[in-house]
Amino acid sequence: MTSLFDPYYLGGLHLKNRVVMPPMTRTRTTEGELPTDGDLPNALMAKYYGQRASAGLIITEPGDIDQSSHGYARTPGHHSKAQMQGWRLVTDEVHRHGGTIFMQLWHVGRLAHSSILPNGQTPVGATTERAETSQVFAHGPDGKLQFMTPDTPRALSTDEVAAMAGTFAKAAANARAAGADGVEIHGANGYIFEQFMNSALNTRTDRYGGDVEGRTRFLMEVVDAVVAELGPGRVGVRLSPFGSYGDIPKDPLVEETFLYVVEQLGRRGVAYVHLVYELLPTGNMETGEFNPPEYLDHALLAKARAVFPGAFIWCGGFTNLARAQAALDSGLVDLIAFGRTYIANPDLVERLRHGWPLAEPDRSGFYTRNGEVGYTDYPSYSDETSANSAA
């Protein structure tokens, strides 16, 4: 029987276990000196990821492919030299601890606000439909950062959509230059790719709309460009079928689209599909919750398994070893991602392996610039017990 602590070979990379630290926005960046620098990864972030390098795979928080893809304040990017220097601190620290790290690339599409976009420009999306019930972290009328409703987007032109594949490929090349072992394309959670793939939202009449091939064309063009840049086995894709996060409407063609996408990704040499199901329909990072692992549609995933030769990562609601092991025992997934549990447990793998108690994260420290507080100040179990003994 497969154990959570067994090694796994992912696209030729040796993962020391099947535990994944998934992407989680933490807003601990440093502001760049120049406007074109963007928000920068830093030594504090390197410490945070290095503390958690016992995971088989770390996938970093999402990073903007360029300045116009910026949707949330204080999130890092992959488009400036200063950012790549910051990411190098992160990858060096993770590798020093024997870890493997992929960087997540995103474009938020319509889930953005003009207050944090270059020159106050309008967000872009598949259509001009606004995400009315979602929220993004941006500057309010008083200039202070707060959660706000996204602006009404401008629909991307056909040529603009086509050109974005090159932008993603450039960001992937930057990630590789900064020491990443691979990248993950964020095709989930209501961001730009899901805005195109959703048959209820995408009403375009050009080659990026219409049938399933048209609605998924954008994602496939980006995947083709990134795989050409990094090679097969170095690219993963995150998907959230049935998700409503980011004001994504219910899609009557969701199963057809999901199975088509998975099959096409397999043909392109994608290393893994990272699956996540969200519960709440809002786009508020503070309150978003996940469905429990039992929500996994075994019949649908079995169909996906039959057409995708790579790995499946399952994320959402895993809070203990029993749930994770049960998901592995189903034979339908290969790797298990523990999200918020990783925030408070830098030594999560060791705690799970030895049956040590898990710490609970403090939500007030999720999205702040309070330095190490709620970020790198969570002790390992051995440090915690030593401190208690000394007291």
Side-chain angles (χ1 to χ4, degrees):
M1 182 180 295
T2 299
S3 165
L4 187 66
F5 309 108
D6 288 342
Y8 186 83
Y9 288 90
L10 180 71
L13 293 169
H14 176 266
L15 307 186
K16 52 196 173 186
N17 54 61
R18 294 168 183 250
V19 178
V20 175
M21 177 182 170
M24 292 178 285
T25 297
R26 300 304 309 278
T27 62
R28 287 328 201 269
T29 55
T30 301
E31 188 173 346
E33 293 184 7
L34 302 174
T36 54
D37 285 343
D39 291 306
L40 312 180
N42 50 43
L44 181 63
M45 290 171 60
K47 180 179 180 180
Y48 169 75
Y49 284 110
Q51 288 175 333
R52 291 153 179 80
S54 59
L57 174 65
I58 288 176
I59 307 169
T60 68
E61 60 209 274
D64 307 313
I65 58 166
D66 63 17
Q67 287 184 297
S68 65
S69 73
H70 197 48
Y72 296 85
R74 299 175 180 169
T75 56
H78 298 278
H79 54 82
S80 75
K81 182 178 179 180
Q83 287 171 339
M84 293 308 100
Q85 291 171 340
W87 280 122
R88 173 58 76 171
L89 298 176
V90 173
T91 60
D92 282 352
E93 187 67 9
V94 170
H95 290 151
R96 188 173 72 84
H97 290 281
T100 301
I101 183 168
F102 275 41
M103 294 183 181
Q104 191 187 67
L105 309 180
W106 76 345
H107 190 305
V108 299
R110 66 176 185 163
L111 294 180
H113 192 273
S114 61
S115 66
I116 60 170
L117 290 171
N119 302 313
Q121 69 186 38
T122 301
V124 297
T127 69
T128 59
E129 186 170 340
R130 186 184 189 189
E132 297 283 357
T133 65
S134 292
Q135 291 185 312
V136 295
F137 196 47
H139 295 286
D142 58 359
K144 295 181 179 179
L145 288 171
Q146 56 190 274
F147 283 98
M148 302 174 61
T149 303
D151 284 331
T152 300
R154 172 181 66 82
L156 287 161
S157 72
T158 302
D159 289 345
E160 286 177 311
V161 179
M164 210 173 288
T167 307
F168 269 91
K170 176 61 176 176
N174 287 341
R176 177 185 57 199
D181 297 300
V183 301
E184 177 178 284
I185 297 169
H186 200 340
N189 297 23
Y191 298 121
I192 198 164
F193 293 111
E194 198 159 43
Q195 293 162 29
F196 275 82
M197 290 190 290
N198 185 282
S199 69
L201 180 59
N202 184 348
T203 56
R204 298 175 70 100
T205 57
D206 63 0
R207 68 176 187 266
Y208 295 107
D211 61 11
V212 65
E213 183 177 359
R215 288 181 284 104
T216 61
R217 189 186 309 277
F218 177 30
L219 174 60
M220 297 309 157
E221 288 180 352
V222 168
V223 169
D224 285 339
V226 175
V227 170
E229 184 66 45
L230 300 186
R234 292 295 184 271
V235 181
V237 176
R238 196 180 213 207
L239 301 172
S240 55
F242 305 101
S244 55
Y245 193 94
D247 211 11
I248 289 294
K250 186 175 182 180
D251 186 352
L253 302 179
V254 61
E255 291 193 17
E256 172 193 342
T257 302
F258 171 62
L259 292 175
Y260 177 83
V261 167
V262 169
E263 181 180 13
Q264 291 298 313
L265 295 179
R267 293 180 179 183
R268 288 164 165 80
V270 167
Y272 67 79
V273 170
H274 185 178
L275 291 173
V276 58
Y277 285 66
E278 262 105 4
L279 177 62
L280 295 183
T282 65
N284 189 329
M285 294 188 298
E286 280 193 316
T287 59
E289 296 291 349
F290 296 100
N291 277 311
E294 292 78 9
Y295 189 79
L296 175 64
D297 186 332
H298 283 219
L300 180 61
L301 191 49
K303 293 178 183 178
R305 192 75 150 167
V307 298
F308 182 72
F312 281 98
I313 301 174
W314 177 242
C315 178
F318 289 103
T319 55
N320 56 55
L321 177 59
R323 277 185 163 180
Q325 190 59 54
L328 286 180
D329 290 346
S330 73
L332 297 174
V333 295
D334 306 284
L335 304 161
I336 304 297
F338 292 81
R340 291 172 183 170
T341 308
Y342 244 123
I343 291 176
N345 299 276
D347 57 339
L348 179 61
V349 173
E350 292 75 14
R351 290 185 186 235
L352 293 173
R353 189 192 302 272
H354 297 290
W356 296 337
L358 300 180
E360 290 293 326
D362 179 1
R363 282 178 175 268
S364 67
F366 281 6
Y367 314 110
T368 72
R369 274 193 170 169
N370 291 337
E372 299 206 22
V373 177
Y375 190 56
T376 56
D377 61 342
Y378 288 106
S380 66
Y381 182 74
S382 56
D383 289 342
E384 185 179 20
T385 53
S386 296
N388 290 339
S389 299

